[in-house]
Amino acid sequence: MKAYIFPGQGAQFTGMGLDLYEKSPLAQQLFEQANSILGFSITDAMFEGTAEELKQTKVTQPAIFLHSVIMAKVLGEDFKPDMVAGHSLGEFSALVASNALSFEDGLKLVATRAMAMQKACEQQASTMAAVLGLENEVVEEVCNSIEGTVVAANYNCPGQIVISGEVEAINKACDILKEKGAKRALVLPVGGAFHSPLMEPAREELAKAIEETTFNTPICPVYQNVVAKAVTDPAEIKENLVAQLTGAVKWTQSVQQMIADGGAEFVEVGPGKVLQGLMRKIDRSVAAIGASFE
């Protein structure tokens, strides 16, 4: 079975999407539509913006979403997924690509999510850290033992977890995790504690927008981050999408479940090769390639 996977924040690069725009009239039309939906020229930021500009959450999230979704649309008849999944933000791309959400509604939700997360980040000093070389259980135990908010936020691949929370709690966790034998426990240059309870204000704002949006039954199962299993019911999809902002991204578990359910070829759709790299660490025996449009 063919699985399509969609990257999240961090996959952006200067000039992203320009080749699609230049080669495909459909891509051009969708990019222009996006400019008008967002009310600013996201194409300027994507095609000509600096790395610094692209790093702003309100730009990054729509930019990655657009690159991924437009690539899937441009593939046309060649895009035949048996299953889809997206890492964090990428879940929105997966939902649009599988027709659970319209292009316009997906983009509006991503824009709302980006702004809500930005606001939540500004309310409290918070951050994330990458932890390498420890078992999930050890990381979870350490997080639970610390005063203040710190949780396991992204299960990226075996031996690579990202923790999220208050700055002081994260620093304390990193010290203890190194003592426990972590190869690295490194604070990341991010604006806030994504996928932690500190995103509650953003979750409330996004929940309202999701509730008012029409979701359809997708053309194939969507493996959602918070449950790490196949979902097709629109009401359930909405619920999991809301929970995702404060819940963990169970990427390792999602991919393992997709493989268990018959996923044999994984195609990353969108900027970069981050997910292909993680695939090799989750299960080397499964083919992982990037989508290409010619």
Side-chain angles (χ1 to χ4, degrees):
M1 289 169 83
K2 204 165 189 178
Y4 285 85
I5 49 178
F6 297 82
Q9 212 160 326
Q12 69 274 11
F13 62 88
T14 305
M16 60 189 283
L18 182 58
D19 56 339
L20 283 173
Y21 187 93
E22 288 174 342
K23 287 179 189 170
S24 161
L26 173 60
Q28 204 170 85
Q29 182 196 322
L30 290 168
F31 274 122
E32 293 303 345
Q33 192 185 337
N35 285 339
S36 102
I37 291 167
L38 292 169
F40 69 93
S41 181
I42 185 90
T43 47
D44 283 356
M46 289 172 74
F47 305 162
E48 296 156 24
T50 62
E52 208 48 50
E53 277 174 74
L54 273 176
K55 240 169 49 183
Q56 299 170 54
T57 297
K58 72 165 191 171
V59 174
T60 316
Q61 294 196 19
I64 291 168
F65 166 85
L66 286 169
H67 191 291
S68 299
V69 168
I70 292 173
M71 169 68 94
K73 298 269 189 205
V74 164
L75 290 173
E77 287 298 303
D78 292 338
F79 183 75
K80 290 195 180 80
D82 295 306
M83 45 177 72
V84 294
H87 189 291
S88 185
L89 159 74
E91 192 158 283
F92 288 83
S93 311
L95 288 167
V96 173
S98 62
N99 293 350
L101 262 179
S102 73
F103 174 75
E104 186 171 344
D105 285 343
L107 181 55
K108 284 178 179 171
L109 286 178
V110 166
T112 300
R113 179 183 191 264
M115 297 307 279
M117 286 169 83
Q118 188 75 47
K119 270 191 280 184
C121 292
E122 287 159 9
Q123 281 178 26
Q124 188 170 5
S126 59
T127 191
M128 300 175 86
V131 181
L132 304 184
L134 283 179
E135 297 291 321
N136 294 354
E137 295 72 25
V138 177
V139 178
E140 290 159 358
E141 274 168 27
V142 169
C143 288
N144 291 338
S145 72
I146 286 169
E147 261 186 61
T149 302
V150 54
V151 295
N154 292 359
Y155 295 83
N156 286 334
C157 64
Q160 188 193 118
I161 293 185
V162 176
I163 60 174
S164 184
E166 292 160 351
V167 173
E168 203 176 318
I170 288 277
N171 289 333
K172 199 175 288 181
C174 285
D175 291 340
I176 297 171
L177 289 162
K178 283 176 197 160
E179 285 167 21
K180 295 265 185 192
K183 287 182 192 162
R184 288 176 89 175
L186 184 73
V187 176
L188 298 169
V190 294
F194 305 141
H195 303 291
S196 84
L198 299 180
M199 282 290 124
E200 183 55 32
R203 189 195 68 80
E204 286 170 13
E205 201 173 320
L206 186 64
K208 188 175 178 298
I210 285 173
E211 209 30 68
E212 291 164 358
T213 303
T214 303
F215 280 65
N216 309 305
T217 304
I219 56 171
C220 66
V222 181
Y223 287 70
Q224 290 190 276
N225 292 176
V226 296
V227 290
K229 63 181 175 57
V231 185
T232 52
D233 175 53
E236 219 178 308
I237 287 173
K238 281 184 165 189
E239 216 173 282
N240 293 333
L241 208 50
V242 172
Q244 195 223 70
L245 265 190
T246 51
V249 173
K250 297 176 182 169
W251 188 250
T252 305
Q253 299 90 325
S254 297
V255 169
Q256 286 168 340
Q257 191 58 54
M258 290 167 94
I259 294 168
D261 291 349
E265 187 188 349
F266 283 71
V267 184
E268 181 170 8
V269 187
K273 295 181 176 179
V274 172
L275 299 182
Q276 291 165 68
L278 295 180
M279 280 298 307
R280 283 189 279 279
K281 291 173 180 160
I282 295 169
D283 191 333
R284 276 199 165 277
S285 70
V286 178
I289 57 169
S292 67
F293 153 68
E294 283 313 326

